[in-house]
Amino acid sequence: MANIVYTECRGGQRFWMIFASLLVFVAIGGASALYMEHFGHIVTGMSNEIVWGLPHVFAVFLIVVASGVLNIASLGSVFGEMPYKPKARLSGVLAIAFLIGGLAILVLDLGRPDRLTVAMTNYNFRSIFAWNVLLYSGFIAVVGAYLVVQMTRAWQKYTPAVGLLAFLWRLTLTTGTGSIFGFLMARSPYGSAVLAPLFIAMSLAYGLAVFILIRLALENSASKGLGEELLQRLMRLLVIFVGSVAYFSGVFHFTSIYTAWRTDWEAYLLLDGGLYTLLFWGAYVLLGTIVPMAMVYGRKGVSRRVEILASTLVLLGGIAHVYVIIIGGQAYPLNLFPGYEVTSGFNDGVVASYVPTLPELGLGLGGTALALVLTMVAMRVFRLLPMGEVAADAS
Amino acid sequence: MSERSSLSRLLLVVGMLIMAMAAGILGAHAGDVPLPAVPKATGGSCVAPPDVMRRSHMSMLQHGRDLSVRQGERVEGGRLTGCISCHAVSDGKGGAVTVSSPQHFCRACHDYAAVKVDCFECHASRPEQPAKATDAAPDAPASSYAALADYAREIAR
Amino acid sequence: MTDRSQSFGCGCGCGSKPETVDAGRRGFLAGAVATGATVLAPGVTLFAYGTDPAEAATGADPKKRWGLLIDVSKCADGCTACVTACQTENGWKTTGRPATDPQWIRKVTLRDPKSGATRSAPVMCQHCAAPPCVDVCPTGASFKRADGIVLVDRHRCIGCRYCMMACPYKARSFVHEPLEDQKPHAPRGLGTVEGCTLCVHRVDKGEAPACVEACAGAGGAILFGDIADPKSEISKVIATYATMQIRGDLGVDPGVRYRNL
């Protein structure tokens, strides 16, 4: 195997322009968070029914992507797929950056973000949320150790062991994220064991799509790009992962249709849920699953344009999917008295409406920009980009 | 790298640190911030002498709140409402000032020490005001007191 | 090569011997810390756990479990005495925006779609024995007191709203706007979650919750008492007549029961 030489990103005008515009978005995110904290959540579209809104859609999506983007490194270190080894450093850095971006959104959307120290020191270990807090911070430490071990020549022999730990940690983390919703047994749209593996499948698909897009973006500016054959393999892998998301999602919804007490919710989501039905069928199923799979499956080789388009569609479908899960699930009313029609002064029995506001969008975009800013800083400072890849691919 | 230059480098850093600290200490007196004028409290003596309270009131409050919220033990002399009723500062209109006024008891020292008081996000910063429509405090809307008076009359029958 | 034996251990393998230099220093530090800890420990323990024996006597009684029994047949359709009383007692009010207004207790109207019959009943925090909100709270702010009252410790609440997702009864609401002039006995603030406290400040004084007292003068539908005590009035009614819990199938064992629902 050829010895890989890594280099840092050299910068350049395009780099700094992108960096500056991302910083603007980070600033918008910070300002949105301050605005929400000072005036209270009354300035957002969130309510007593839709308690988790657009920021949480962004945050969950970023966290799922963070866990999935580490998969490339795991393919190299844990599963021994040599061609992926040069990508491991960038994959690890992306994982940390996206997790920090998602966490930043979550923390800044808290009703009392100044109480973060309380959250870090008081744990109720019966809460999957508390476990997630530990898993997220631990993930940063474990992936950090994984990066250090890869980048220090004397410790490179520990890479498979630490890589395995990172792989198992991210599986636990994603299972925990899915279980946040899976453990809510009182709500028809949630409270299912299959949400955990669904989130794992989502992380695989969306993490890979993000990795492909970022790598393609780097290819024009960095001198060395992704090996062509490797890229085709990744696209076929994306088809498999998107298919697995569709599988778990399909099992979830089919079983819910059969479950008598969940049928009303499924009828709402799949037939007369307005925006949620449109997002589910149009954005997630059609644009996010069927179209990318049709574009890639069975083709000998796909062009750059197809790669970018397919990956982007998968991501858009992914965001729509998370939106439907999180917000659609909350919009559907709780059923306190099964069999009765319930009305009250507290919006019992009615589907809640939710209109996202600008501060929420600002916070969500700010967190995403933060993730990309951190990635760019890491690329500029550390040696993450492999050179001499052609030699590695040929062996 | 010779020993001499690393030693002089060390001395330079230490010297800069000392200068920075001295600037900070000297600068603190240059601001002419007046010492806090703590309003006198009503009622009998406090639960502890002033110097003890000054240093330990936060840990006493935290201990007391865990007892009353988590265990339901409401100890006389350990209730926040007791502190607030004795330390209420009159607003000159028959009521007491809230924490938004710099004359509030807690703000006298906390403004000086520049330590944010978090308690009054949730806790009332003055004793409960009587529900009279005319007796609205300057920073509270009169209508809420009128509404409260109506409700009180409604259930008092 | 210059003589480096005077330098501190710098990790570059330059030949200094840290062990001999630091051994004596380590021993001294260990001894000092041990002496200090031994001197300070009794005082710290005393301070942390308190010395007042009277404090141990009162408090939430684990042998009690407070509950409510609501007779829906005595609950009039348009009557909101319980809601009004709760608002006055605890200092919350609605502004006509149910999506973001606080809500500790509400009147719910049920209509049987097959027969068209309607009934109304108040719904508040059900003070479950196995509360889902307590299970999911990441900081432990949502907790169940020893006597069964489920509360939010707003000192620890970070406002994540997970308990609102988990509650089967939509009992909790979030404070969306800054508040002022809260009731001294019912603190509540921006960014935290709140719900029915079973008027814990009244219960601890031996009184009944405000809604119970208000209803006693209006329809007499709400009964309050210790459901762990078989000799209390509420336990006797529960033992005699058929009562049900809302969503009893979930297995959370609410402390609020309904009759004639």
Side-chain angles (χ1 to χ4, degrees):
Chain A
M1 192 189 72
N3 219 353
I4 313 284
V5 174
Y6 294 91
T7 177
E8 63 261 21
C9 189
R10 298 280 165 203
Q13 200 193 30
R14 191 158 152 259
F15 181 92
W16 291 116
M17 275 172 57
I18 296 176
F19 192 75
S21 34
L22 285 175
L23 279 183
V24 167
F25 276 99
V26 172
I28 290 175
S32 308
L34 275 175
Y35 182 60
M36 278 162 55
E37 199 211 341
H38 184 73
F39 289 100
H41 274 67
I42 193 79
V43 301
T44 69
M46 291 183 249
S47 63
N48 288 321
E49 286 91 47
I50 310 282
V51 300
W52 285 352
L54 195 59
H56 293 85
V57 171
F58 272 97
V60 166
F61 188 72
L62 286 174
I63 290 171
V64 159
V65 162
S67 139
V69 92
L70 190 65
N71 201 38
I72 307 297
S74 302
L75 284 171
S77 308
V78 178
F79 297 103
E81 296 272 334
M82 291 314 215
Y84 296 105
K85 277 204 172 189
K87 325 287 182 267
R89 293 188 188 187
L90 181 63
S91 159
V93 163
L94 279 172
I96 294 181
F98 273 80
L99 191 80
I100 292 180
L103 274 185
I105 301 177
L106 270 183
V107 168
L108 289 174
D109 179 74
L110 289 175
R112 297 290 308 249
D114 51 311
R115 288 210 176 139
L116 181 61
T117 40
V118 172
M120 301 294 288
T121 48
N122 289 283
Y123 289 104
N124 167 26
F125 286 113
R126 289 175 69 169
S127 164
I128 188 68
F129 212 99
W131 280 109
N132 271 286
V133 171
L134 288 170
L135 284 169
Y136 295 158
S137 22
F139 182 75
I140 296 175
V142 168
V143 178
Y146 183 42
L147 283 169
V148 164
V149 148
Q150 281 178 73
M151 291 164 73
T152 309
R153 209 164 280 282
W155 295 338
Q156 267 172 6
K157 57 182 183 289
Y158 299 119
T159 307
V162 183
L164 180 64
L165 176 65
F167 177 69
L168 293 174
W169 196 282
R170 85 159 192 81
L171 282 183
T172 316
L173 184 150
T174 320
T175 307
T177 310
S179 299
I180 289 178
F181 302 98
F183 286 3
L184 295 176
M185 44 95 168
R187 290 187 181 250
S188 311
Y190 305 127
S192 168
V194 83
L195 277 168
L198 172 63
F199 269 66
I200 299 252
M202 282 161 65
S203 77
L204 293 171
Y206 308 145
L208 180 57
V210 164
F211 185 82
I212 291 172
L213 283 176
I214 290 192
R215 209 58 186 90
L216 288 177
L218 287 175
E219 190 185 49
N220 296 325
S221 44
S223 49
K224 294 291 172 266
L226 214 53
E228 200 50 49
E229 199 226 298
L230 194 61
L231 190 53
Q232 300 302 323
R233 281 166 76 168
L234 284 181
M235 290 308 294
R236 288 194 292 274
L237 199 56
L238 185 63
V239 168
I240 297 176
F241 288 158
V242 168
S244 63
V245 174
Y247 168 73
F248 282 110
S249 179
V251 165
F252 183 39
H253 288 294
F254 271 115
T255 315
S256 294
I257 293 173
Y258 266 93
T259 314
W261 58 276
R262 288 200 222 245
T263 315
D264 283 340
W265 148 249
E266 288 294 328
Y268 172 75
L269 170 70
L270 300 175
L271 297 175
D272 42 31
L275 173 70
Y276 306 115
T277 309
L278 185 67
L279 282 176
F280 183 83
W281 289 117
Y284 163 56
V285 172
L286 184 64
L287 289 180
T289 309
I290 296 179
V291 169
M293 284 174 82
M295 284 165 81
V296 180
Y297 180 75
R299 319 256 166 180
K300 267 249 155 21
V302 291
S303 67
R304 279 285 179 276
R305 191 176 292 178
V306 167
E307 286 159 6
I308 294 176
L309 187 58
S311 306
T312 312
L313 283 178
V314 166
L315 287 181
L316 289 177
I319 293 204
H321 193 196
V322 175
Y323 190 94
V324 165
I325 290 177
I326 295 185
I327 297 183
Q330 294 174 80
Y332 196 70
L334 268 170
N335 195 1
L336 265 71
F337 302 99
Y340 288 93
E341 288 169 11
V342 176
T343 48
S344 78
F346 193 37
N347 285 337
D348 279 283
V350 293
V351 172
S353 71
Y354 172 67
V355 179
T357 54
L358 278 180
E360 297 172 74
L361 183 63
L363 183 59
L365 291 176
T368 318
L370 177 67
L372 293 170
V373 159
L374 289 174
T375 312
M376 292 183 86
V377 167
M379 279 183 347
R380 183 77 181 85
V381 170
F382 295 113
R383 301 191 173 173
L384 304 177
L385 305 176
M387 298 176 71
E389 267 189 66
V390 177
D393 276 348
S395 64
Chain B
M1 211 188 303
S2 71
E3 292 244 344
R4 177 166 288 228
S5 79
S6 63
L7 179 63
S8 54
R9 201 175 298 173
L10 182 67
L11 281 176
L12 187 65
V13 170
V14 171
M16 279 168 64
L17 275 174
I18 291 176
M19 271 170 40
M21 279 161 54
I25 293 168
L26 292 172
H29 287 295
D32 261 341
V33 178
L35 286 173
V38 182
K40 262 219 156 322
T42 60
S45 60
C46 193
V47 288
D51 51 337
V52 174
M53 289 304 284
R54 221 175 278 137
R55 216 169 303 128
S56 328
H57 67 282
M58 198 55 223
S59 45
M60 291 167 73
L61 282 170
Q62 283 174 338
H63 182 53
R65 84 182 183 198
D66 284 339
L67 279 181
S68 49
V69 175
R70 300 246 150 200
Q71 273 110 56
E73 294 172 21
R74 299 170 189 267
V75 183
E76 272 319 304
R79 312 184 59 141
L80 189 65
T81 46
C83 314
I84 290 183
S85 54
C86 278
H87 287 290
V89 175
S90 166
D91 65 351
K93 292 197 198 70
V97 295
T98 65
V99 72
S100 50
S101 152
Q103 273 111 39
H104 192 266
F105 175 78
C106 306
R107 284 196 54 179
C109 289
H110 274 269
D111 280 358
Y112 176 80
V115 176
K116 182 163 178 255
V117 180
D118 191 37
C119 321
F120 303 115
E121 293 278 324
C122 290
H123 285 278
S125 54
R126 60 178 178 177
E128 190 168 355
Q129 306 294 290
K132 293 201 289 285
T134 51
D135 186 38
D139 46 42
S143 57
S144 63
Y145 283 101
L148 276 177
D150 285 337
Y151 289 142
R153 253 177 266 131
E154 200 178 82
I155 66 163
R157 35 180 59 247
Chain C
M1 280 274 266
T2 49
D3 181 63
R4 294 195 187 273
S5 58
Q6 301 302 315
S7 62
F8 301 91
C10 60
C12 62
C14 52
S16 59
K17 288 185 176 51
E19 294 83 27
T20 49
V21 174
D22 288 339
R25 203 175 292 149
R26 271 195 211 132
F28 171 76
L29 279 175
V33 167
T35 316
T38 321
V39 165
L40 288 174
V44 168
T45 326
L46 215 58
F47 184 68
Y49 290 98
T51 53
D52 190 353
E55 285 177 349
T58 56
D61 189 350
K63 291 194 279 292
K64 289 195 163 73
R65 188 184 168 196
W66 298 113
L68 294 174
L69 175 63
I70 298 171
D71 189 344
V72 179
S73 61
K74 295 190 190 148
C75 183
D77 250 342
C79 177
T80 53
C82 51
V83 179
T84 311
C86 180
Q87 289 176 333
T88 317
E89 177 70 24
N90 294 298
W92 59 275
K93 51 189 177 300
T94 52
T95 60
R97 300 171 294 172
T100 50
D101 280 340
Q103 187 69 245
W104 292 32
I105 180 174
R106 63 200 188 270
K107 284 295 294 289
V108 161
T109 308
L110 286 87
R111 185 178 165 277
D112 184 349
K114 293 189 182 54
S115 67
T118 61
R119 278 185 287 284
S120 84
V123 175
M124 70 296 282
C125 169
Q126 303 285 290
H127 297 285
C128 310
C133 63
V134 172
D135 274 345
V136 301
C137 178
T139 58
S142 178
F143 72 103
K144 187 178 73 163
R145 232 166 63 143
D147 56 0
I149 301 181
V150 177
L151 297 167
V152 178
D153 180 356
R154 291 193 199 93
H155 307 109
R156 272 206 224 169
C157 178
I158 55 174
C160 74
R161 290 102 72 198
Y162 195 26
C163 60
M164 293 171 70
M165 293 273 270
C167 178
Y169 307 105
K170 215 172 161 235
R172 292 226 168 128
S173 58
F174 184 60
V175 182
H176 289 82
E177 293 169 284
L179 301 173
E180 46 189 19
D181 264 337
Q182 295 89 329
K183 296 276 174 180
H185 51 250
R188 42 190 294 262
L190 172 70
T192 55
V193 173
E194 55 181 4
C196 161
T197 58
L198 213 56
C199 281
V200 66
H201 55 284
R202 291 172 67 118
V203 170
D204 283 350
K205 282 191 287 196
E207 298 168 7
C211 54
V212 177
E213 255 185 41
C215 190
I222 313 182
L223 193 57
F224 167 77
D226 178 7
I227 55 180
D229 174 15
K231 291 198 279 294
S232 68
E233 194 190 335
I234 189 175
S235 299
K236 287 192 201 138
V237 177
I238 291 174
T240 317
Y241 300 99
T243 58
M244 54 89 81
Q245 301 164 319
I246 306 179
R247 293 302 307 272
D249 61 303
L250 290 176
V252 294
D253 189 16
V256 178
R257 285 179 165 270
Y258 291 79
R259 203 179 138 196
N260 296 319
L261 190 61

